[in-house]
Amino acid sequence: MKVLITGCNGQVGHCLTERLKTQAEVLALDYEGLDITNREAVLNTVAEFKPNYIINAAAHTAVDRAEQEVDLSYAINRDGPLYLAQAAKECGAVMLHISTDYVFDGTGEQPYQESDSTGPQGVYGQSKLAGEQAVAEACPQHLILRTAWVFGEHGNNFVKTMLRLAQSRDELSIVGDQFGGPTYAGDIADALIAMVQFIEQGNQPQWGVYHFSGMPYASWFDFASAIFQAAEQHNVLVKQPQLSSIPTSAYPTPAKRPANSRLNCSQIENQFGIKPSDWQAALNNIQAYK
C-alpha cells in the first residue's frame, strides 16, 4: 500500500505520517516538498509515486488572515485539492480530504448532518467548501472528512494557547457562546487510517462527505476549563487561572466565528465503525502539549 500525505507538518499530517509509516510506503510532503497549488508539480509527483491513496492534510487555516489573503486561501483550499483529486483519478487512487465545520453558517443548536445546507460566512469556509466541491467533481473515489476545533501535541492550537497564557495571567476571559466538538488530531489521523483500512479489507464505502469531531460538545469556556483542570492534575500548571465566560460580541475578530460548530458524527460510525473523538481522554496527555 502506497500513501501520499500532503501537509505532513500540520497537526493532522504529522500524526498521519507517524502512524502510517509503519503500515505502508509513505511519501509525506510539506510545502517545501510539494506546492499543491502548482498543478504540474502535483501531477508529476503523483504520476511518479503512483499512490493507492492520497490524503490531503494541507490547508490555509488562518481564519482571520484569510479575509485579506483571499487568493491564497482559494489557491490552497480549492485549487490544490482539485489538482490532487485530478491526479488521484488519473492514477486510480482514492482521495481523502480534510474539511471543516466552517462550511456551515454556524446557526441554531442542532448538530449538523452531512446533508444539511452549507452557508459559509467567511473566506476560509467559502474556500474550503469550494475545495470539497472540486474534489467531489474531479475524483469519484473520494472521502471528505469535515472536522472541528482541532488540537494536538504538534503545531499551534487552543490547548497550547491556553497553557501559554496561563503562565503569565491569573485571570482569563473565554468565549462561552460558541459550541462545538474539540477534536484530537491523533483521532482524526486514526479515523482517516480506519477509512483506508476499510477499503484495503475489500469493502466498498459510500463515497462522499463524513463528519468526525469530538464528544461531548462544549463551549470554548468549557474546553478551557477542562484544559486547566487536566493541566493542574498532571502538574503542568501549579495553579489554574480564574476563568470568566464572555459573549462573542466581547471578543470581535476579522472573520465571523460560528456559534454552532456541532457535527453529527453518526454517519461515519454507521459506515466505518468510527466513534467520535474522546477529547477529554486526549487531555490526559497534556504534558506533551507544552
Side-chain angles (χ1 to χ4, degrees), residues 241-261:
Q242 186 71 35
L243 295 185
S244 58
S245 177
I246 60 171
T248 299
S249 58
Y251 189 71
T253 54
K256 184 180 180 183
R257 298 300 196 271
N260 180 20
S261 291

Side-chain angles (χ1 to χ4, degrees), residues 103-126:
V103 301
F104 297 110
D105 64 11
T107 59
E109 295 182 0
Q110 288 301 310
Y112 284 104
Q113 299 186 48
E114 289 84 350
S115 57
D116 286 338
S117 297
T118 52
Q121 298 295 293
V123 172
Y124 170 64
Q126 290 159 1

Side-chain angles (χ1 to χ4, degrees), residues 79-139:
D79 301 345
L82 170 63
Y83 304 151
L84 288 164
Q86 289 173 337
K89 184 184 180 186
E90 193 70 28
C91 74
V94 172
M95 173 77 182
L96 296 95
H97 174 65
I98 302 170
S99 193
T100 174
D101 62 285
Y102 274 74
V103 301
F104 297 110
D105 64 11
T107 59
E109 295 182 0
Q110 288 301 310
Y112 284 104
Q113 299 186 48
E114 289 84 350
S115 57
D116 286 338
S117 297
T118 52
Q121 298 295 293
V123 172
Y124 170 64
Q126 290 159 1
S127 63
K128 289 294 290 182
L129 179 59
E132 287 188 11
Q133 293 165 342
V135 167
E137 290 171 10
C139 182

Side-chain angles (χ1 to χ4, degrees), residues 201-217:
Q201 290 162 3
N203 300 302
Q204 174 67 46
Q206 182 73 43
W207 305 113
V209 178
Y210 291 89
H211 289 173
F212 178 79
S213 67
M215 289 293 286
Y217 302 123

